[in-house]
Amino acid sequence: MINVTRSFMPPMEEYEEYLKKIWENRWLTNEGPLLKQLQEQLEEYLGVNYVSMMTNGTISLQLALRALDIEDGEVITTPFSFVATTSCIVWEKCKPVFVDIDKDTLCIDVNKIEEAITDKTKAIMVVHVYGYPCDVEKIQEIANKHGLKVIYDGAHAFGSRYKGKSLLSYGDISTCSFHATKLFHTIEGGACITNNKEIYDKLQSIKNFGSVNGNYDNVGVNGKITEFNAAMGLANFKYIDKIIKERKEICETYDKLLEGKVVRPKVVENLEYNYIYYPIILKDEEETLRIIDALHEKEINPRRYFYPSLNTLSYIKDKGNCPISEDISKRVLCLPLYNGLSKEDVTKISNIVINNIK
Ligand SMILES: *Cc1c(COP(=O)(O)O)cnc(C)c1O
């Protein structure tokens, strides 16, 4: 069976070295030494001031909204993402206001943001879809003009760099997911990334029951991540360049085989890409379902990612006007991509796709 993804695993002995340290330290969670080390390494790698790691990417999104005091306001967001981007806004009792995506980059259409701003708008929370950058300059300009906070859901952005800077260095806060299926993982895990000390202090407090120097001055939750997760992160961290390089080679093989047969997202200039996913856009939903069936028959599991368009979720009252996202979500497919996927398998998958295009 070939799944859409398969988790990267470091050599077991290297993980065990970190486990030995945990046994020596007898410090299992609560901002322990391995977590501190990993956060410092990530700050350096990403070129940012602060990385506050948490239990997962979803809690990171929720706490990002909390840390920036986005309460019961409207949050401008994209309908073309994983469900967590929308559900965290609703969970935090804010209203998601959907703005359609650009049909080429699949990120939010920045030319439609301003018309969605009202006097209740407090933030823009958008996604670097598949690791491709949003128009970060234009978004910051709009945010400055209207006094809005910017949160990037950077769950796909780890390892992608735009104009020489990590994509996770933009906005008031960028969040990331270190889930087992992501490019760099800590089994479960996530982070809020910021350059602002005050925001960082608030995040560190609210992920730890709201503690401030031993007093509980903030309302908090328990979003702490354990030393075992940090150990996996430290063991995986050494392999980031190798992970990205190998994925690049697989993507280039797909590119060669599928060129001219399927549509791919437009790649902007000044991007060093992380090759986290291999999405293809097909002619229509019928063709998409036909290809899925044909792949399933050979025990290959692609993923309808993202489907459905999030503005169509049953609990969303104001569905907005997002025809492009609704259209593309019906005919986009992520093909298998992971370290160790063989050239033969890539060829086999590509041939099934090609043979089912009319
Ligand atoms: C994976 C993902 C999340 C959620 O992260 P978890 O760590 O699984 O909670 C949020 N947003 C996007 C875009 C994702 O892909």
Side-chain angles (χ1 to χ4, degrees), residues 56-58 61 81-82 84-85 127 153 155-156 177 179 182 189 305:
N56 57 59
T58 305
L61 285 167
S81 181
F82 182 60
T85 316
V127 181
D153 177 347
H156 299 176
S177 165
H179 182 257
K182 301 295 202 297
Y305 194 65

Side-chain angles (χ1 to χ4, degrees), residues 159-268:
S160 269
R161 297 168 68 81
Y162 176 64
K163 293 193 174 164
K165 277 171 63 178
S166 165
L167 267 188
L168 294 171
S169 63
Y170 292 90
D172 293 286
I173 298 177
S174 282
T175 68
C176 197
S177 165
F178 304 131
H179 182 257
T181 57
K182 301 295 202 297
L183 188 93
F184 165 73
H185 77 87
T186 57
I187 309 171
E188 290 271 2
C192 284
I193 294 141
T194 182
N195 285 317
N196 180 307
K197 172 85 164 65
E198 240 172 86
I199 295 172
Y200 171 72
D201 287 342
K202 181 93 182 270
L203 288 163
Q204 288 289 93
S205 167
I206 64 178
K207 80 172 183 191
N208 184 27
F209 308 105
S211 164
V212 182
N213 303 324
N215 294 320
Y216 298 101
D217 292 338
N218 292 313
V219 180
V221 291
N222 180 355
K224 290 179 275 102
I225 187 161
T226 75
E227 289 290 276
F228 292 81
N229 299 104
M232 182 59 93
L234 287 166
N236 281 337
F237 184 77
K238 284 183 228 154
Y239 294 94
I240 292 171
D241 289 345
K242 177 178 142 72
I243 289 170
I244 294 176
K245 183 170 163 282
E246 284 181 16
R247 298 174 83 99
K248 179 171 192 264
E249 285 162 12
I250 296 168
C251 289
E252 285 170 353
T253 308
Y254 270 131
D255 281 344
K256 265 191 221 132
L257 294 163
L258 293 174
E259 209 196 332
K261 310 276 186 192
V262 297
V263 175
R264 297 262 301 134
K266 182 182 154 198
V267 180
V268 299

Side-chain angles (χ1 to χ4, degrees), residues 290-354:
R290 185 168 63 237
I291 289 172
I292 293 172
D293 280 348
L295 288 167
H296 280 171
E297 226 167 82
K298 301 286 179 206
E299 300 199 329
I300 297 164
N301 294 322
R303 184 169 178 199
R304 297 191 84 183
Y305 194 65
F306 308 107
Y307 176 84
S309 184
L310 297 173
N311 61 312
T312 67
L313 290 170
S314 60
Y315 56 79
I316 297 297
K317 290 185 199 83
D318 187 348
K319 309 266 192 238
N321 179 29
C322 306
I324 298 172
S325 173
E326 287 175 32
D327 170 42
I328 290 181
S329 61
K330 288 187 183 121
R331 55 194 180 94
V332 67
L333 213 53
C334 282
L335 297 180
L337 171 59
Y338 51 80
N339 294 83
L341 182 67
S342 72
K343 229 176 182 160
E344 292 72 47
D345 284 337
V346 173
T347 307
K348 184 167 141 192
I349 295 162
S350 301
N351 285 337
I352 296 171
V353 171
I354 292 165

